[in-house]
Amino acid sequence: MSNSEQQAREQILNLVADYYNRFLKKDNDSFTKGDRIPYSGRVFDEKEVINLVDSSLDFWLTAGRYTDEFEKRFAELLNVRFASLVNSGSSANLIAFMALTAPELGDRQIKRGDEVITVACGFPTTVAPIMQYGAVPVFVDVTVPQYNIDVTMLEEALSSRTKAVMIAHTLGNPFDLKAVREFCDKHGLWLVEDNCDALGSEYTIDGKTAFTGTWGDIGTSSFYPPHHITMGEGGCVYTDNALLHKLVRSYRDWGRDCICPPGKDNFCGHRFDGKFGKLPVGYDHKYVYSHLGYNLKATDMQAAVGCAQLDKLIGFADARRKNWKLLHEKLECLSDVLILPEPAENSNPSWFGFIMGVKEGAKDGNGNELTRNAITKALEDNNIQTRLLFSGNVTKHPCFDEFVCKKNVEDAGDYRVIGDLSVTDYVMNNAFWIGVYPGLNDDKIEFMANVIKKACGRAV
């Protein structure tokens, strides 16, 4: 880059910083009753905007230097060997699962009809790749107040066709990684951690503390605006396994066999001298496909935003913990009518939200039945955004109308259910959550708690 170009760029970026401070900067410390309190949202400063404009001046519209920087720094932060940026957390789950269907994995390859243990209480794109491929999800129940997989049901869910466990850490609260990891090791199963709602959460096993998403064979993250860091749309797949990393990159990049970076040819030096499948000798390696893949790369402009957000991740996680703790303290007085969340044993969650369940038979201050809808209506009427626990029970949704539940492993069908999913149904009917993201302050937390108390008929 010439001196004149560098000077022009610096001038532009200085103006961008000024624009942010004049027009985009928000005062998160102020709060007036009636202000909208979202459950989550983007938190940024001039650095994200500067990076975004800087990358746009390169006009390198696909993956580039910021992508390389993000993947390197993200892997270093999580202490994993490999990270691959994709265009969403849902794409990350798709790629993570599809990597396990590759024939290079031999006996451990997931084939159509093989089973994957998971939960019905969660976000559907944890399950969607399994069913879209033709494998069979085996749904087990969850526990409350952790809202994660009931590990006592794992052995019952196991069959001769089980190949993997693929589950999410719910709202930042880690599932029982020790039990799940031991179960997978005992039976030779893959473990995929959907870490999209838990980036920054920590878990300790036998004295070793590590980030969630790194205990399994593959971890996934989402960078959608409500998540722990954001680049607008975006996600990541990460692993310590070199073969899985190679497969992830192949499925992400059209299924190609070539490893040339975007815009570079003959990176390996053997572009025209290989023999692949039934292709003629010397067929252009850039157009050899070892898998039926996708194009799920992110753009460099997204990665540029992500690079600035990475510097804030630890602070964001601390703020989420602080807000969660304050909410818990203020709502403990409602423990007779609400089931408040509890962190998993041996964990330090980076909370995505504060989830509550209305106890069955609970009454409000007037002796009337207390319902979830009454509380969420009161919150929304006061401009406080609420959410349910995603699908609640995904098998009850219209998308499952075309699918058949198998009673036994040998039966024809699309999925299996262990037990009656009664706790999952409780969550579907009674649970809701509100935000703890870093854009909240003590006044907003206080106001949210007071609205919930009033909805439960308690004085504030």
Side-chain angles (χ1 to χ4, degrees):
M1 185 183 298
S2 67
N3 288 336
S4 59
E5 183 181 353
Q6 181 63 39
Q7 290 172 359
R9 185 175 291 233
E10 289 177 0
Q11 183 180 12
I12 291 170
L13 298 183
N14 286 335
L15 287 171
V16 169
D18 179 63
Y19 181 89
Y20 167 83
N21 286 305
R22 291 176 62 191
F23 302 113
L24 294 178
K25 188 174 183 179
K26 295 182 179 180
D27 181 7
N28 285 324
D29 293 329
S30 65
F31 172 66
T32 301
K33 183 178 178 181
D35 288 350
R36 184 65 166 157
I37 303 179
Y39 78 92
S40 194
R42 56 190 189 171
V43 177
F44 65 100
D45 59 27
E46 73 278 4
K47 295 182 178 63
E48 283 83 351
V49 189
I50 289 171
N51 275 16
L52 182 60
V53 174
D54 185 45
S55 66
S56 73
L57 294 175
D58 292 343
F59 210 68
W60 186 262
L61 301 181
T62 184
R65 64 183 177 100
Y66 274 111
T67 299
D68 293 341
E69 178 186 342
F70 182 88
E71 290 176 338
K72 180 177 183 295
R73 290 178 54 202
F74 191 75
E76 289 173 349
L77 188 151
L78 294 185
N79 194 28
V80 294
R81 293 177 64 194
F82 309 107
S84 298
L85 188 63
V86 295
N87 60 5
S88 74
S90 298
S91 294
N93 282 343
L94 173 62
I95 295 301
F97 176 79
M98 289 304 298
L100 301 181
T101 70
E104 290 93 326
L105 300 178
D107 292 342
R108 298 192 69 188
Q109 174 193 10
I110 297 178
K111 298 180 179 180
R112 290 171 179 83
D114 284 342
E115 295 188 342
V116 179
I117 298 173
T118 187
V119 298
C121 185
F123 203 75
T125 55
T126 311
V127 176
I130 302 168
M131 303 190 74
Q132 289 164 347
Y133 175 73
V136 177
V138 179
F139 295 113
V140 301
D141 218 341
V142 296
T143 63
V144 171
Q146 291 79 22
Y147 299 90
N148 276 310
I149 186 169
D150 184 347
V151 296
T152 66
M153 303 182 74
L154 286 170
E155 291 290 345
E156 185 181 354
L158 184 71
S159 79
S160 60
R161 303 217 63 170
T162 307
K163 288 290 185 66
V165 175
M166 185 169 178
I167 43 179
H169 302 288
T170 302
L171 297 181
N173 197 15
F175 57 77
D176 188 341
L177 269 162
K178 187 177 192 305
V180 175
R181 181 72 269 178
E182 289 175 351
F183 172 78
C184 290
D185 291 343
K186 176 182 177 182
H187 298 289
L189 308 176
W190 300 110
L191 173 57
V192 179
E193 289 181 73
D194 180 339
N195 200 42
C196 290
D197 291 344
L199 185 60
S201 293
E202 297 173 320
Y203 193 89
T204 301
I205 299 179
D206 297 332
K208 175 188 174 183
T209 300
F211 287 114
T212 56
T214 68
W215 288 101
D217 297 285
I218 305 179
T220 63
S221 283
S222 172
F223 308 130
Y224 192 64
H227 287 274
H228 292 71
I229 62 172
T230 186
M231 53 180 71
E233 301 285 355
C236 201
V237 187
Y238 34 102
T239 182
D240 279 325
N241 186 308
L243 175 56
L244 291 181
H245 172 61
K246 180 181 178 181
L247 295 170
V248 163
R249 288 293 174 100
S250 176
Y251 279 102
R252 182 193 68 176
D253 301 353
W254 304 283
R256 65 179 184 165
D257 199 76
C258 174
I259 61 170
C260 287
K264 295 184 180 180
D265 293 343
N266 207 22
F267 180 76
C268 66
H270 297 282
R271 182 178 174 188
F272 298 110
D273 61 10
K275 178 69 176 75
F276 304 97
K278 298 177 182 178
L279 294 169
V281 174
Y283 196 84
D284 188 347
H285 192 212
K286 282 187 72 73
Y287 292 98
V288 173
Y289 303 96
S290 48
H291 308 97
L292 291 175
Y294 315 88
N295 178 12
L296 299 177
K297 298 188 299 299
T299 69
D300 220 41
M301 288 180 284
Q302 291 169 268
V305 175
C307 286
Q309 287 271 292
L310 275 179
D311 294 328
K312 301 176 173 68
L313 174 60
I314 301 303
F316 283 168
D318 289 341
R320 288 176 176 274
R321 293 181 182 111
K322 172 182 175 293
N323 290 339
W324 187 93
K325 183 174 183 291
L326 185 57
L327 260 178
H328 201 281
E329 290 172 353
K330 292 185 176 300
L331 294 176
E332 283 178 337
C333 60
L334 299 177
S335 58
D336 59 323
V337 293
L338 297 180
I339 300 176
L340 301 181
E342 291 182 9
E345 188 177 358
N346 300 315
S347 75
N348 183 25
S350 175
W351 295 98
F352 188 54
F354 191 95
I355 187 167
M356 295 157 275
V358 179
K359 290 186 175 181
E360 295 178 348
K363 305 291 185 181
D364 64 18
N366 298 316
N368 300 315
E369 179 186 8
L370 183 63
T371 66
R372 175 182 65 192
N373 287 355
I375 300 174
T376 56
K377 183 179 186 302
L379 287 163
E380 294 284 352
D381 286 348
N382 281 275
N383 226 9
I384 300 167
Q385 198 171 35
T386 64
R387 286 292 184 267
L388 305 186
L389 188 50
F390 309 127
S391 67
N393 182 342
V394 71
T395 69
K396 300 291 182 71
H397 285 256
C399 60
F400 264 72
D401 289 350
E402 63 180 300
F403 299 125
V404 176
C405 181
K406 303 169 62 168
K407 293 185 178 179
N408 299 296
V409 178
E410 298 79 13
D411 295 342
D414 304 292
Y415 65 98
R416 284 203 300 132
V417 173
I418 305 302
D420 59 6
L421 301 185
S422 59
V423 181
T424 296
D425 285 341
Y426 163 80
V427 173
M428 177 182 66
N429 290 313
N430 298 286
F432 69 98
W433 59 278
I434 55 178
V436 295
Y437 84 111
L440 301 179
N441 59 25
D442 290 0
D443 290 340
K444 295 175 183 178
I445 297 290
E446 178 86 28
F447 182 69
M448 290 194 296
N450 286 342
V451 170
I452 293 174
K453 291 175 185 177
K454 288 180 180 178
C456 294
R458 304 295 171 85
V460 296

